[in-house]
Each structure stands twice: as structure tokens, then as C-alpha cells.
Amino acid sequence: MNNEKFEILLRFFKVLADESRLKIVGILANQECSVEELAALLQLKEPTISHHLSRLKELSLVRMRPDGNAHLYQLDNDALQAISKEIFTPEKIASLVENVNTEAWENKVLKTYIEGDLQNSQEPQIIKEIPASRKKRFVILKWLVSKFDIGVNYPERAVNEIIKRHHPDSATLRRELVGYQLMNRVEGVYYRILQK
């Protein structure tokens, strides 16, 4: 998401992060109202209503039309739909994390449970303990399965040898690799499953 759209989204949430403005939007979605009517409905002073309306107008969420000496306000459905189509798509919302390291939590889990330099494959890397949390255990298992080559069939003995380089309980970790669908076992032969 580019900076301009990010700023629009931020302004949108800041403007609507107010109970009175949300109520005004709800009222104006159903009917046209003057400042006087809104003030009576919400039991607020007219200058307060005018302030809230000016904040909503910043985003073009309300439109105004003159009616004699008064001005009538209504929710601008087209503007709301345009913002929705422009910004509130799953892809656009997902792009909010473009500058966030999405692997930071996994890296923290690895540093907590693995002893040794994770950047240096020549140095021994030992799993200190198997995490009780399923989510953390999955992170450790994804790291462990990376020690196996894709497209290679491993007899159980070879799987145990590779696992024992990192943790003494090869039986548990071997079962977990299969249970978490990171490896498959067919007649005593193991192979790594490609992850999506």
C-alpha cells in the first residue's frame, strides 16, 4: 500500500474513532439531518456537531445541501463505497505489513529454543527443549525439516541420525515431523513434503 493510501486509511480510522462521529454516520446513513436535528438526537451542542461534521467532510463521508436557511447533511454512500473498494480489500489490508518483518516472531522462537549460531550451519545447533506450545513447536519443526533435502528418500536410521545432531529424542521429533505434515513416511522411508 503506497503512503498516500496508507495516510487515507489512517485518517479514516482516526476520524471514525469517536463514538459521536460513528453515531452521526449511522444517523446520516438513514436520513438527512440538519446540525440542529443531530444536536437534539445526540444531546450535544450544535458547535460540537459542526466540528464532527467537518471532520467527516475531510474524508468526503458526508455531503451537504442547502435547504432554505439550514443545511442538510447525509452520508455520501458513493464516497464510502469508493474508500471500501480502494482500501478495504484483503490484499490492501494485507499490504499494511509490507515494512514489518513477518518472521521476527519465528526468529525469536528459534533463538529461544535453539542453542548455537543460526546463521552458521557449520556450528552445532542444538534444540534446548521441544516447546509445549503447538505454534512454537511448529516453528522448531519447520527449522528442523530444513535439514532434510527435498526429493530425497531417507531410511528411518538416516532420519534419526540427522535429528540426533540437533536433539537426542529422535523418535518424538520424527513422529512430530510426520504429524505436522512436514515429512511423510511410506513403508519406513521418509521424505520431506513441500510447504505452500
Side-chain angles (χ1 to χ4, degrees), residues 116-132:
D117 184 358
L118 293 168
Q119 306 304 318
N120 184 355
S121 60
Q122 304 305 316
E123 185 179 315
Q125 299 163 340
I126 307 299
I127 300 171
K128 293 186 258 186
E129 66 178 287
I130 300 169

Side-chain angles (χ1 to χ4, degrees), residues 40-76:
L41 288 168
L42 296 174
Q43 298 178 352
L44 295 171
K45 296 184 186 299
E46 289 183 26
T48 303
I49 295 294
S50 293
H51 167 74
H52 289 314
L53 287 169
S54 69
R55 293 296 310 273
L56 292 168
K57 283 195 284 186
E58 288 173 16
L59 293 175
S60 303
L61 287 176
V62 295
R63 61 177 179 239
M64 182 264 302
R65 72 174 181 84
D67 184 41
N69 291 334
H71 294 113
L72 294 178
Y73 295 87
Q74 188 170 24
L75 180 69
D76 189 335

Side-chain angles (χ1 to χ4, degrees), residues 19-165:
E19 182 180 353
S20 295
R21 284 195 281 273
L22 281 175
K23 288 179 178 179
I24 289 170
V25 167
I27 292 168
L28 297 181
N30 292 316
Q31 65 190 51
E32 279 187 319
C33 285
S34 67
V35 170
E36 183 183 3
E37 289 172 301
L38 288 168
L41 288 168
L42 296 174
Q43 298 178 352
L44 295 171
K45 296 184 186 299
E46 289 183 26
T48 303
I49 295 294
S50 293
H51 167 74
H52 289 314
L53 287 169
S54 69
R55 293 296 310 273
L56 292 168
K57 283 195 284 186
E58 288 173 16
L59 293 175
S60 303
L61 287 176
V62 295
R63 61 177 179 239
M64 182 264 302
R65 72 174 181 84
D67 184 41
N69 291 334
H71 294 113
L72 294 178
Y73 295 87
Q74 188 170 24
L75 180 69
D76 189 335
N77 292 330
D78 295 336
L80 189 60
Q81 287 179 355
I83 290 174
S84 179
K85 286 179 185 174
E86 180 92 11
I87 296 174
F88 292 113
T89 65
E91 298 80 20
K92 295 287 173 74
I93 296 296
S95 74
L96 292 173
V97 296
E98 286 174 346
N99 297 326
V100 174
N101 180 359
T102 55
E103 295 176 1
W105 181 79
E106 288 190 6
N107 291 336
K108 181 180 182 228
V109 171
L110 292 173
K111 287 178 186 173
T112 302
Y113 288 93
I114 296 178
E115 191 175 285
D117 184 358
L118 293 168
Q119 306 304 318
N120 184 355
S121 60
Q122 304 305 316
E123 185 179 315
Q125 299 163 340
I126 307 299
I127 300 171
K128 293 186 258 186
E129 66 178 287
I130 300 169
S133 158
R134 287 185 54 79
K135 195 170 179 182
K136 290 178 180 177
R137 189 177 317 150
F138 184 62
V139 172
I140 298 301
L141 292 170
K142 281 195 320 185
W143 171 83
L144 183 59
V145 82
S146 71
K147 307 303 176 194
F148 296 87
D149 293 323
I150 294 171
V152 175
N153 292 331
Y154 294 91
E156 191 170 294
R157 179 182 43 77
V159 172
N160 288 339
E161 286 174 14
I162 291 170
I163 292 173
K164 283 183 179 181
R165 293 180 202 154

Side-chain angles (χ1 to χ4, degrees), residues 147-191:
K147 307 303 176 194
F148 296 87
D149 293 323
I150 294 171
V152 175
N153 292 331
Y154 294 91
E156 191 170 294
R157 179 182 43 77
V159 172
N160 288 339
E161 286 174 14
I162 291 170
I163 292 173
K164 283 183 179 181
R165 293 180 202 154
H166 307 288
H167 193 274
D169 191 353
S170 60
T172 296
L173 288 170
R174 190 181 64 241
R175 281 192 302 273
E176 293 287 288
L177 287 168
V178 172
Y180 278 80
Q181 299 180 344
L182 295 168
M183 293 190 87
N184 207 352
R185 177 178 181 235
V186 177
E187 297 178 10
V189 176
Y190 294 77
Y191 58 91

